[in-house]
Amino acid sequence: MRKQFNSFNSIDKEPWLAVILSSLLPGCGQIYAGDKKRGLGILLISQISLIVSLWSIFSPSGNALLGLLLMISYGIISILSLFDAHRCARIINSTDFERLRTSNKDPWFAVFLSNIIPGLGHAYQGNWLFAVVFGALAFGINRLNVENSFLLLFLSLALIALFVVCPFHAYISSPIRRGSSKKFVLGICSMSVLASLIFNSSNIKEYVAESRYIPSESMLPTLKVNDRLLVDKLTYRFSKVKRGDIILFNPIPALQEQNYRDAFIKRVIGLPGETIEVKGGKVYINGTILKETYINEQPEYEMPQIKVPPKSYYVFGDNRNNAYDSHYWGPVSEDYVIGRAAKIFWPANRIRPIR
């Protein structure tokens, strides 16, 4: 039989709810637990660390290594905040409430576990049927490999719904509930999923930025072998590719036919609709010589005048005479562009914006 309990007095707080709130935003759990100064301090420090780290990583004048260190610091603060939030809630609770809380299966701990792995909260409660059902659903959806975009969207939405429904069900099916309304619990579960989607590392890699390394000498002297780069994927969502940008792109069909599968990195020389020609050691754009300060030697080859197709780019390697680039295999459609090479972040003596 399910039992409903309210807090024994107005200051009793749920430690595991405090943990969940701090997992959404460091410091929120401490504020919920009543320690507002501590919570606001953690919130301020963590957000400053996050903002400065993002600025350092993405800004042309920022230090990428400092940004990475601050990002690590933000992660450490976030983890420590979870333990601290639990402690802040626990130490203010009445003895009777803590005795009740620790003598039964904690419904908010079940929610916390379900946010990690669907079904884990039900297993903690001993509800093995739903533990198996939710666990199997999550495993099955994750293992399905589909290419149809509509079906992929449907499965993604189903997985998101599962991560809301599972912790919500773990709470409402708990043998012990302590006064939280179903709307409040559903709101917390939804916010947890939203936060995980925003900060999910795969989403950041897909839509914001990722790291790459240089495997060849085709971009010397600008990029050296084993340079680690930060590739910015946001810029081209709001602006066009510019001449001089160094872009990362997937192999175009002509390269795929030669069994190339790894991404290429080259400098944009010709823009859509322009004519490009290489003769006498010079690159001509619409009949005008292109000034290039980033190459060590002039091209020793000739390329007849070519018009760049719409929504496409001609790309060359900075190591002009030792680069496999557009003068061999043609233009790169914008559909294949992954992002813009923004910064070298490793090795330490090579940290710099890429121009």
Side-chain angles (χ1 to χ4, degrees):
M1 181 178 178
R2 185 175 296 115
K3 297 181 180 180
Q4 177 81 30
F5 291 97
N6 292 313
S7 297
F8 282 83
N9 58 61
S10 60
I11 68 167
D12 290 327
K13 302 295 182 180
E14 296 285 355
W16 284 104
L17 174 55
V19 171
I20 293 170
L21 290 172
S22 275
S23 71
L24 300 178
L25 202 61
C28 286
Q30 287 81 353
I31 295 172
Y32 158 77
D35 198 337
K36 294 182 179 179
K37 289 184 179 179
R38 190 185 191 91
L40 289 172
I42 293 172
L43 182 61
L44 184 62
I45 292 171
S46 64
Q47 296 314 299
I48 289 176
S49 297
L50 179 61
I51 292 169
V52 175
S53 70
L54 292 175
W55 178 87
S56 299
I57 291 171
F58 289 105
S59 170
S61 58
N63 187 310
L65 182 58
L66 174 63
L68 292 173
L69 291 175
L70 286 172
M71 188 63 76
I72 293 171
S73 298
Y74 174 78
I76 293 172
I77 292 171
S78 299
I79 293 171
L80 293 178
S81 173
L82 303 182
F83 292 94
D84 186 65
H86 189 278
R87 185 194 67 83
C88 286
R90 193 182 68 251
I91 61 176
I92 67 166
N93 286 341
S94 64
T95 304
D96 289 338
F97 181 77
E98 278 298 295
R99 186 182 300 114
L100 168 68
R101 188 182 68 81
T102 56
S103 63
N104 298 281
K105 297 291 186 180
D106 192 317
W108 283 110
F109 184 51
V111 172
F112 176 77
L113 292 175
S114 294
N115 284 332
I116 300 172
I117 300 176
L120 192 59
H122 293 84
Y124 158 74
Q125 294 172 335
N127 193 339
W128 294 104
L129 174 61
F130 281 101
V132 171
V133 169
F134 283 119
L137 282 173
F139 179 80
I141 293 174
N142 274 308
R143 294 291 294 178
L144 285 175
N145 186 14
V146 297
E147 295 184 1
N148 182 280
S149 57
F150 178 79
L151 184 57
L152 184 61
L153 176 62
F154 175 78
L155 290 175
S156 299
L157 292 174
L159 189 61
I160 292 171
L162 180 64
F163 270 92
V164 174
V165 171
C166 181
F168 175 69
H169 186 268
Y171 186 90
I172 65 173
S173 64
S174 174
I176 300 293
R177 299 218 306 264
R178 290 192 289 269
S180 296
S181 70
K182 290 182 179 180
K183 288 183 179 179
F184 176 76
V185 178
L186 183 60
I188 292 294
C189 295
S190 300
M191 288 168 58
S192 296
V193 172
L194 179 62
S196 66
L197 287 174
I198 293 172
F199 293 104
N200 185 282
S201 60
S202 62
N203 286 338
I204 292 173
K205 183 177 179 180
E206 178 70 22
Y207 300 108
V208 181
E210 67 173 279
S211 63
R212 293 276 180 160
Y213 79 97
I214 298 299
S216 74
E217 297 181 343
S218 71
M219 286 299 294
L220 286 173
T222 308
L223 302 176
K224 296 183 177 181
V225 175
N226 291 327
D227 277 351
R228 262 56 178 180
L229 313 179
L230 181 74
V231 177
D232 169 17
K233 296 185 175 183
L234 279 177
T235 296
Y236 294 150
R237 297 182 186 277
F238 306 102
S239 63
K240 295 290 186 180
V241 175
K242 299 179 181 64
R243 189 187 339 277
D245 286 357
I246 295 178
I247 61 171
L248 184 78
F249 56 94
N250 288 314
I252 63 173
L255 292 169
Q256 293 175 22
E257 291 173 1
Q258 300 173 49
N259 294 320
Y260 284 99
R261 297 292 178 265
D262 295 331
F264 279 58
I265 186 164
K266 297 287 183 283
R267 188 182 296 272
V268 175
I269 301 299
L271 298 175
E274 294 181 335
T275 60
I276 180 170
E277 182 181 10
V278 180
K279 63 180 181 179
K282 302 290 183 180
V283 175
Y284 291 80
I285 303 294
N286 294 333
T288 302
I289 295 176
L290 178 66
K291 294 181 180 180
E292 298 185 284
T293 60
Y294 39 77
I295 59 176
N296 276 345
E297 56 184 20
Q298 302 297 328
E300 297 174 355
Y301 56 83
E302 304 279 317
M303 188 182 81
Q305 188 178 91
I306 294 170
K307 186 172 183 178
V308 183
K311 298 183 178 181
S312 299
Y313 309 98
Y314 249 70
V315 296
F316 288 165
D318 286 358
N319 190 1
R320 214 35 75 78
N321 296 308
N322 293 282
Y324 192 47
D325 54 27
S326 284
H327 88 275
Y328 282 103
W329 35 256
V332 176
S333 168
E334 65 179 21
D335 295 335
Y336 291 85
V337 176
I338 297 171
R340 178 181 64 91
K343 281 188 175 182
I344 301 171
F345 68 85
W346 195 259
N349 66 334
R350 294 270 301 154
I351 294 175
R352 68 197 64 187
I354 296 173
R355 296 185 176 88

